[in-house]
Amino acid sequence: MLVSYLSMVQYEKLYTETVSSKQLALEQLTQNIQNSLATVETLSQNLAYRSPISSLISRNNLENFPIWTKRSSNEIIDALHYTLKYQNRGIEDIDIYTNKNELCNQENFYNISLLYGFDFYDNFHEQQKGADFYFLDKETTEKYFAKKDMNASIDELLLFVRDIRNEEDDVYSGLLVFEIDPEKFLLSLQENKRNEYSIYFTNTKDFWGKPLSTNVISAIQSSVAENTVNFSEVSFGHLYSYIKNYKLVVIDRNAIEKNSYIILTLRIFVLFSLLIVVQALCLHILIKYIMNKINKNINEMDRIVANGFEGQIPVDECDEFRTITMRYNVLLNKIQTLISDMIKKESDKKEAQIKALQYQMNPHFIYNTLSIFASNAEDNGNFRLSEAIAYFGHLLRYNIKKYRNVCHCERRNG
């Protein structure tokens, strides 16, 4: 249960950290792209609503004012070149498309009929947008430059189209088109990030970067929110950022696969489980080893006790049991020494008692014998001999009493 709990906690932690990290990177990237798009939009506003461009494109009968037309067009071209020179946003060229044939023979001025047949042009007019971004794939980019009688300098093209209107009556007069190199414009997606992120243009349903599956795109389209920028996770595990103002979706191509984290969690679970099994096995082996050592020592102790505390337990290994065995052997030595001392003391005591009895028996035997001799001498009329023997017996009894008193004192002192 503990391993399962730790595995689930680790799974949630890894998954949350991954999502948070990807969301932060996607948020920064989206903000950079949005800033770049806003900069181009601001430049287009400054150019499209300038008096020279609006006045020139909106005026009729330009053939009646050749000098003014030439001067105004030159001023506009200079303004366009100045914008291209002092910006660093990847803008390759800025063109003006109009139906004024008097202007179409000059630099940066093209007849609007060149745009007929392009999907982005049809979409721009159908949606009646004032400005919008459009992405052209390689084939469309080649076709676009071919109509301008130019060789395609880049493989893919990002266009920002803005209509030009008369300042006074707000009448449509032409288009201002920014031709942008997406590789330079989207600086945040260069190098390795180009393979990590894709930009989906919802207006033309085109991809910049590697396209994703239709299932992912369908999921993103169905879950795009109404906020200006929204971060979300779709059912296929991809994170995306929707920029509503420009109808762009920045998609993290690296899907967050929950199954991979589950597999990682299962690996952690299996690792912990194996670790627990190994620890249990090692603990079992250790306990078994300890119990074998304990039983062996107990058997040796029983043998020694049965043998009258004779012998010692062999000391083989250098471990905790070695110390216990050595202490037990010391205890056995002390027990054997005490037993030897007790046996010696008891033996000495018995020997002393026997000697004392011997000492007691010999004088009494002699005394009784002398008494018998004295009686026989008195019966035979030899009174002097009987008296001498009697005095010798009394002297012997006195010595026996004196010896008893000395032994009794020695025993009491001992």
Side-chain angles (χ1 to χ4, degrees):
M1 292 176 63
L2 178 61
V3 171
S4 300
Y5 172 74
L6 292 177
S7 300
M8 292 303 299
V9 169
Q10 187 67 18
Y11 162 73
E12 292 294 337
K13 181 179 179 182
L14 289 173
Y15 182 76
T16 302
E17 288 180 353
T18 302
V19 173
S20 299
S21 176
K22 282 182 170 290
Q23 283 181 340
L24 180 60
L26 186 61
E27 182 179 357
Q28 295 175 346
L29 178 62
T30 302
Q31 191 62 47
N32 293 337
I33 294 175
Q34 191 172 15
N35 291 338
S36 299
L37 297 175
T39 301
V40 173
E41 185 177 16
T42 301
L43 289 174
S44 68
Q45 288 177 346
N46 294 336
L47 291 175
Y49 299 143
R50 288 171 62 97
S51 296
I53 295 179
S54 178
S55 299
L56 179 62
I57 301 302
S58 302
R59 178 166 294 191
N60 297 321
N61 302 320
L62 292 178
E63 68 276 5
N64 297 329
F65 309 97
I67 298 176
W68 178 85
T69 301
K70 182 65 174 177
R71 185 176 67 248
S72 297
S73 61
N74 289 335
E75 290 179 1
I76 292 171
I77 293 172
D78 291 340
L80 297 179
H81 289 173
Y82 180 84
T83 302
L84 292 173
K85 182 177 180 180
Y86 291 99
Q87 63 79 32
N88 189 23
R89 295 288 177 176
I91 302 175
E92 298 294 321
D93 202 358
I94 304 175
D95 296 328
I96 298 174
Y97 289 84
T98 179
N99 55 4
K100 301 291 193 300
N101 294 325
E102 296 84 359
L103 300 175
C104 293
N105 58 354
Q106 300 184 60
E107 184 180 2
N108 297 104
F109 286 88
Y110 295 92
N111 194 292
I112 201 168
S113 61
L114 297 178
L115 302 180
Y116 295 164
F118 285 102
D119 292 338
F120 75 87
Y121 180 78
D122 296 336
N123 177 270
F124 185 81
H125 280 286
E126 287 176 3
Q127 300 295 328
Q128 295 182 354
K129 301 176 181 179
D132 204 355
F133 282 91
Y134 294 94
F135 177 75
L136 307 184
D137 58 18
K138 184 176 181 180
E139 182 180 353
T140 307
T141 299
E142 292 177 354
K143 181 180 177 181
Y144 176 82
F145 282 112
K147 282 198 173 186
K148 292 175 60 177
D149 291 331
M150 296 178 59
N151 294 324
S153 58
I154 52 180
D155 294 333
E156 298 170 328
L157 190 62
L158 179 64
L159 298 181
F160 181 75
V161 182
R162 175 178 290 280
D163 59 3
I164 303 173
R165 294 183 176 272
N166 190 299
E167 294 179 347
E168 297 179 358
D169 52 12
D170 195 27
V171 176
Y172 171 77
S173 304
L175 294 179
L176 181 66
V177 179
F178 281 67
E179 299 174 0
I180 304 171
D181 183 357
E183 289 287 348
K184 297 179 181 178
F185 180 72
L186 301 173
L187 296 176
S188 300
L189 292 182
Q190 283 187 346
E191 298 176 356
N192 60 326
K193 290 187 177 181
R194 175 71 183 272
N195 297 324
E196 296 179 7
Y197 298 93
S198 296
I199 297 180
Y200 178 66
F201 296 82
T202 59
N203 52 3
T204 59
K205 296 181 174 55
D206 291 321
F207 268 101
W208 183 84
K210 294 181 179 180
L212 297 173
S213 64
T214 55
N215 293 332
V216 175
I217 296 303
S218 298
I220 291 176
Q221 288 176 337
S222 62
S223 61
V224 166
E226 295 298 329
N227 299 328
T228 301
V229 177
N230 180 58
F231 299 98
S232 177
E233 178 188 349
V234 300
S235 58
F236 290 87
H238 291 276
L239 291 177
Y240 75 92
S241 173
Y242 177 57
I243 307 177
K244 179 183 177 182
N245 293 347
Y246 303 105
K247 303 298 182 182
L248 302 180
V249 181
V250 183
I251 307 170
D252 189 340
R253 298 186 64 257
N254 298 320
I256 304 175
E257 297 291 344
K258 286 188 176 181
N259 293 335
S260 62
Y261 291 94
I262 294 176
I263 293 174
L264 178 60
T265 304
L266 290 177
R267 289 178 180 176
I268 296 175
F269 175 80
V270 172
L271 180 62
F272 271 101
S273 301
L274 289 177
L275 182 61
I276 290 175
V277 171
V278 171
Q279 288 178 343
L281 182 60
C282 293
L283 183 61
H284 173 72
I285 295 174
L286 179 62
I287 293 175
K288 187 176 181 180
Y289 170 77
I290 293 174
M291 293 304 299
N292 290 335
K293 293 286 293 186
I294 292 175
N295 292 331
K296 180 181 178 181
N297 289 337
I298 291 175
N299 294 332
E300 288 292 328
M301 292 177 183
D302 293 339
R303 182 185 62 79
I304 291 173
V305 172
N307 197 31
F309 296 97
E310 293 292 334
Q312 290 188 343
I313 300 177
V315 181
D316 299 329
E317 301 179 3
C318 296
D319 53 12
E320 290 77 4
F321 289 99
R322 176 185 176 88
T323 303
I324 297 175
T325 304
M326 293 177 65
R327 296 292 177 84
Y328 184 77
N329 289 335
V330 172
L331 179 62
L332 287 176
N333 291 332
K334 290 185 178 181
I335 291 174
Q336 292 172 2
T337 302
L338 290 174
I339 292 175
S340 299
D341 293 343
M342 290 177 63
I343 292 174
K344 186 175 184 305
K345 287 183 179 179
E346 289 294 328
S347 177
D348 293 343
K349 181 179 178 181
K350 295 295 182 181
E351 184 178 356
Q353 290 177 350
I354 291 173
K355 288 182 178 181
L357 289 174
Q358 289 177 351
Y359 288 144
Q360 291 177 3
M361 290 176 60
N362 291 336
H364 281 289
F365 178 77
I366 295 173
Y367 176 77
N368 291 333
T369 301
L370 291 176
S371 296
I372 293 172
F373 288 165
S375 297
N376 291 331
E378 186 177 356
D379 292 338
N380 294 324
N382 194 352
F383 297 102
R384 293 184 64 182
L385 178 61
S386 175
E387 185 178 0
I389 293 172
Y391 278 122
F392 180 74
H394 288 301
L395 179 63
L396 183 61
R397 178 175 290 181
Y398 173 78
N399 289 334
I400 290 173
K401 289 182 178 180
K402 184 177 179 181
Y403 175 76
R404 286 179 178 176
N405 291 331
V406 172
C407 291
H408 177 71
C409 291
E410 287 181 353
R411 288 196 299 270
R412 185 173 59 186
N413 294 331

